[in-house]
Amino acid sequence: MVTRLVLILGDQLSPEIAALQAAGKAHDIVVMAEVTAEASYVRHHPKKIAFIFAAMRKFAARLRDDGWQVAYTRLDDTDNTNAIDSELVRRGAEFGATGVLITEPGEWRLIEALRSLSDESPMEFRWNSDSRFLASHAEFDAWAEGRKSLRMEYFYRDMRRKTGLLMDGDQPVEGKWNFDHDNRKPASDGAEFSGPMRFTPDPETQQVLDLVAQKFPSNFGSLDDFWFATDTSQARRALTHFIKTALPTFGDYQDAMLRDDRFLSHSVLSMYLNAGLLDPLEICQAAETAYKNGDAPINAAEGFIRQIIGWREYMRGIYFREGPDYPRRNALNHSRGLPDFYWSADTKMYCISKAVEQTQAEAYAHHIQRLMVTGNFALLAGIDPFQVHEWYLAVYADAYEWVEAPNVIGMSQFADGGIVGSKPYVSSGAYIDRMSDYCKSCAYKVKHKTGPDACPFNLLYWHFLDRHRDRFESNPRMAQMYRTWDRMDGDRRETVLADAGAFLEKLDSGQPV
Ligand code: FAD
Ligand code: DLZ
Ligand code: SF4
């Protein structure tokens, strides 16, 4: 009788996952393993590790209830070999397995490790594409082939046509593909947000929390007040809660930031989606139904669906198309070390301190905090993009390289030289001031353009444009910025650059900023 191992990784927790679909309960054995190699290739936030381990344990129990034989390794099992490839070797020998069924992992690192193992192993490896995505690699590559630039918007329209979401025949509902001009308002005074659904840890999750506290005591991030869903039925309740309470204002407040609200109208579903607890189409259909029933306006439903079938799928396409060297790209040759305040929140810059503090507490920050606060600062200050990438990969509960790297290396740091974005996402403090209520609590003055109190984003914005003039001045989308800079009085320009240089020197010498 043939026995094959069916590898299920910590972010593949879906009964529809391809390797499971290709396997049979009668002969095949599911292998799942909590291993040090995966838990420490970056120093993950403890809440991320706890979420993944708890969800893995509950998924294994579900599979067993469903009749599967599951060989599950816990982190503290004495015979744990502590890496995915060595666990396959150990389980292969234990069960006399002749083959391994794999669903393609979401990181080149692990793909390469498993490819090496399959070259050496007597077991036959069968690779399956990850069918949890709408666009296969071949489909994305076919879309990308021959295009001068890979703009997400056109890819997104194809995904709308493919899924039929918000379509009226072959036309978009209400006559437009994109309703962004109705979106992106600052949060109005007194706007209230109920936040994501919270779950009290069950005994299995509590056991994992104790284990993670003991094994990862010094990783950045707090384990206190763990409230994440850890199985599909809870994640579905979180989805229903979002659709009812936050989707209607999702578009309006997509880019807003508030001092006293960590979530606003965001769904906080990415960690469930990326781990396999929720399916992208299921989420989008729920949003579409809310729109059809008159419970959410088109700008909200369209904006939300675009993030999932557009941006999320597009980012994955870029990651696999660009290959394993993508996270090492550094088109702007930035080399400054990541400042300590990314780990401590200890900075006078209120916006950064807030974003880091909430990341530490929740393993979550919403998109505009990631892009226009911590990401914007790193880009303006010329931080080494690989260090920025490792930070994002470690600190967010939803972070796996296939989605994190194109967002960080591409969208946020322009380190891929313009594959994801046609221009760098940089802004001065004025943007943060417009979209948030942070600046009024800050030690720096957002209206000051020079001098000791000047908002560092104001100084560094011009410093960035000036030092990268050769690359960007002919970019039509940046022409206006250069015109404004050039119109500034020469002395003033010199003062801005000198103040920015002084700020960077302080940063480099580890003085408080
Ligand atoms: P919502 O605002 O409610 O959006 C709905 C869903 O759309 C999200 O759950 C997510 O699945 C999807 N989505 C939205 N924007 C993007 C995007 N740019 N790329 C891919 N999917 C998107 N997302 C991750 O899932 N993992 C990451 O590691 C990650 N790292 C990021 C790093 C940077 C620098 C930036 C700028 C963005 C990053 N994103 C990442 C994208 C986005 O910020 C998160 O998906 C989002 O903040 C998750 O919170 P949410 O579920 O409340 O999202
Ligand atoms: C992120 C993560 C962590 C922290 N731990 C495990 C683990 O112990 N076992 C496992 O199978 N997967 C884990 N993961 C998820 C993997 O790192 C993820 O599957 C790969 O990075 C590919 O996306
Ligand atoms: Fe951030 Fe500048 Fe506003 Fe302070 S003044 S919160 S540093 S944007």
Side-chain angles (χ1 to χ4, degrees):
M1 192 155 309
V2 178
T3 297
R4 294 172 303 179
L5 306 180
V6 185
L7 177 66
I8 305 286
L9 295 166
D11 56 351
Q12 297 181 336
L13 308 179
S14 151
E16 279 79 43
I17 198 81
L20 213 49
Q21 292 296 315
K25 287 177 195 166
H27 311 300
D28 298 331
I29 294 167
V30 173
V31 172
M32 298 179 71
E34 299 166 9
V35 292
T36 315
E38 293 309 305
S40 32
Y41 65 91
V42 287
R43 285 162 65 84
H44 303 282
H45 195 298
K47 278 200 169 108
K48 176 181 181 185
I49 305 176
F51 163 65
I52 290 170
F53 286 4
M56 284 174 70
R57 290 183 184 192
K58 289 170 84 172
F59 186 68
R62 178 178 171 186
L63 289 180
R64 285 196 185 106
D65 287 347
D66 202 27
W68 289 93
Q69 188 180 338
V70 182
Y72 192 99
T73 310
R74 292 184 172 218
L75 192 70
D76 49 2
D77 284 352
T78 47
D79 47 3
N80 189 341
T81 60
N82 275 312
I84 296 294
D85 47 1
S86 52
E87 277 301 281
L88 284 175
V89 172
R90 179 169 78 90
R91 294 301 194 181
E94 181 181 343
F95 297 109
T98 55
V100 182
L101 294 170
I102 286 178
T103 309
E104 181 184 70
E107 301 195 352
W108 285 110
R109 175 187 61 76
L110 200 49
I111 293 176
E112 285 168 353
L114 291 172
R115 278 187 187 154
S116 304
L117 175 63
S118 82
D119 289 346
E120 296 159 9
S121 167
M123 295 185 286
E124 190 202 331
F125 278 57
R126 186 128 6 119
W127 290 72
N128 299 275
S129 322
D130 193 338
S131 51
R132 290 175 297 166
F133 294 88
L134 297 172
S136 65
H137 300 331
E139 258 176 297
F140 187 83
D141 289 347
W143 171 79
E145 210 47 54
R147 284 175 193 260
K148 271 225 299 268
S149 68
L150 303 182
R151 294 296 152 249
M152 191 284 298
E153 183 65 28
Y154 298 105
F155 170 76
Y156 162 60
R157 291 179 191 180
D158 281 0
M159 292 299 105
R160 288 272 294 276
R161 291 187 189 97
K162 177 172 178 171
T163 57
L165 285 162
L166 299 179
M167 294 298 288
D168 191 355
D170 61 356
Q171 291 303 309
V173 293
E174 303 204 20
K176 271 196 314 188
W177 293 102
N178 184 316
F179 287 80
D180 246 3
H181 79 274
D182 298 336
N183 289 342
R184 304 172 190 278
K185 303 179 180 127
S188 51
D189 281 348
E192 287 199 1
F193 303 91
S194 55
M197 182 169 266
R198 292 167 175 264
F199 300 87
T200 306
D202 47 47
E204 185 76 280
T205 304
Q206 193 50 58
Q207 219 180 34
V208 167
L209 288 168
D210 295 342
L211 174 76
V212 173
Q214 184 210 335
K215 297 281 185 189
F216 305 93
S218 57
N219 285 22
F220 165 89
S222 163
L223 265 180
D224 294 346
D225 190 24
F226 182 92
W227 53 263
F228 297 166
T230 45
D231 60 38
T232 290
S233 88
Q234 290 181 341
R236 286 198 170 129
R237 286 171 57 204
L239 167 62
T240 307
H241 170 83
F242 162 71
I243 298 284
K244 212 165 129 194
T245 62
L247 177 67
T249 50
F250 176 84
D252 289 350
Y253 299 134
Q254 208 175 330
D255 285 5
M257 297 175 276
L258 281 182
R259 207 179 61 169
D260 295 326
D261 199 301
R262 293 170 171 173
F263 307 104
L264 294 101
S265 292
H266 292 278
S267 67
V268 200
L269 293 174
S270 51
M271 63 187 153
Y272 309 142
L273 188 52
N274 295 350
L277 302 186
L278 292 176
D279 173 73
L281 260 188
E282 160 186 32
I283 297 182
C284 293
Q285 281 158 354
E288 185 189 44
T289 303
Y291 162 71
K292 284 185 174 161
N293 292 343
D295 296 330
I298 184 67
N299 67 310
E302 187 283 315
F304 180 71
I305 287 172
R306 173 158 27 92
Q307 305 311 310
I308 295 176
I309 67 171
W311 280 112
R312 183 171 183 270
E313 294 281 334
Y314 168 86
M315 290 303 192
R316 177 172 183 265
I318 296 284
Y319 177 73
F320 282 102
R321 184 173 166 79
E322 290 301 315
D325 78 308
Y326 188 78
R328 289 277 179 191
R329 301 220 186 140
N330 188 358
L332 301 180
N333 289 318
H334 283 168
S335 58
R336 185 161 274 116
L338 188 75
D340 286 347
F341 56 71
Y342 276 78
W343 302 109
S344 66
D346 188 9
T347 165
K348 290 188 289 172
M349 291 179 278
Y350 190 79
C351 52
I352 296 198
S353 154
K354 265 295 182 196
V356 173
E357 197 183 278
Q358 95 162 59
T359 300
Q360 205 267 349
E362 308 280 5
Y364 176 85
H366 57 74
H367 185 69
I368 219 66
Q369 293 176 303
R370 298 188 204 197
L371 185 64
M372 298 314 288
V373 177
T374 42
N376 187 16
F377 182 85
L379 178 57
L380 293 176
I383 311 296
D384 170 8
F386 190 74
Q387 293 186 35
V388 182
H389 150 73
E390 290 206 302
W391 184 79
Y392 279 96
L393 190 56
V395 303
Y396 292 114
D398 58 18
Y400 306 93
E401 213 180 76
W402 67 265
V403 57
E404 173 276 336
N407 270 295
V408 173
I409 297 294
M411 182 187 275
S412 165
Q413 299 301 298
F414 205 82
D416 67 0
I419 295 169
V420 167
S422 55
K423 75 173 190 44
Y425 275 95
V426 283
S427 81
S428 67
Y431 174 85
I432 294 173
D433 192 33
R434 187 164 68 251
M435 298 312 298
S436 79
D437 60 357
Y438 292 154
C439 299
K440 61 184 181 219
S441 309
C442 188
Y444 292 106
K445 303 280 173 273
V446 72
K447 302 277 189 251
H448 291 200
K449 312 292 187 220
T450 56
D453 290 343
C455 164
F457 286 82
N458 293 345
L459 302 172
L460 296 175
Y461 176 71
W462 296 120
H463 192 274
F464 174 90
L465 290 181
D466 187 68
R467 73 179 187 266
H468 290 300
R469 181 161 206 136
D470 286 353
R471 177 180 279 269
F472 294 125
E473 84 174 325
S474 57
N475 181 329
R477 298 193 61 206
M478 298 182 75
Q480 180 57 42
M481 301 172 184
Y482 280 102
R483 273 199 296 275
T484 309
W485 177 231
D486 291 342
R487 271 202 305 267
M488 228 183 263
D489 174 79
D491 286 349
R492 188 160 171 81
R493 279 206 304 261
E494 267 179 36
T495 310
V496 170
L497 293 180
D499 287 358
F503 177 87
L504 291 172
E505 265 174 37
K506 273 174 98 176
L507 199 63
D508 291 342
S509 62
Q511 292 177 60
V513 289

